[in-house]
Amino acid sequence: MSGSAAYLATTDFRWTERAFELLGAQRLTVSDHTADGVTGVVVSGPCPRCDHHFVDRRALDAVTGMSGATRIGDGRPSDVALLDVTCGCDTAHEGTPEGTAGCGASFRIELRRQ
């Protein structure tokens, strides 16, 4: 998608699918980050919708269900966590609400604990 996409608050699953493709191509990256005892991740690369570069930093210790083991249906710990990300590129998109960054697309990334 070109950089001319107007702002649209969307959670369309195609952006998650596109994020998966970008992760597979190693254009979108997720890296561990720890500072002052707080564990987190940095998501960096092109937005699946507008293709502009963004960086999203998340403290996982502060997000419910991300720092400890999550549970699957039968109560066993899961090694998978889901991270919801919203485009935060610095590009001005037509119709972007004041004080908002990015094109409005939100998508999900699956994190596997090692």
Side-chain angles (χ1 to χ4, degrees):
M1 177 118 346
S2 76
S4 62
Y7 181 87
L8 177 64
T10 176
T11 58
D12 191 309
F13 187 67
R14 67 181 159 167
W15 309 128
T16 293
E17 291 174 323
R18 179 71 179 131
F20 182 77
E21 293 170 3
L22 292 168
L23 285 164
Q26 297 180 350
R27 291 187 57 215
L28 187 63
T29 62
V30 180
S31 56
D32 293 329
H33 177 73
T34 302
D36 298 325
V38 177
T39 301
V41 294
V42 177
V43 180
S44 179
C47 168
R49 179 173 179 256
C50 72
D51 206 38
H52 294 126
H53 183 81
F54 75 96
V55 177
D56 185 281
R57 292 175 179 83
R58 298 286 175 109
L60 297 183
D61 290 341
V63 179
T64 303
M66 293 294 287
S67 63
T70 57
R71 302 272 172 193
I72 54 179
D74 62 4
R76 291 180 293 138
S78 172
D79 64 348
V80 176
L82 300 175
L83 180 64
D84 291 321
V85 180
T86 299
C87 175
C89 72
D90 291 333
T91 302
H93 291 270
E94 181 183 339
T96 301
E98 189 172 326
T100 302
C103 72
S106 294
F107 52 95
R108 184 164 278 178
I109 294 177
E110 183 178 274
L111 302 177
R112 295 199 175 268
R113 294 186 182 91
Q114 308 232 352

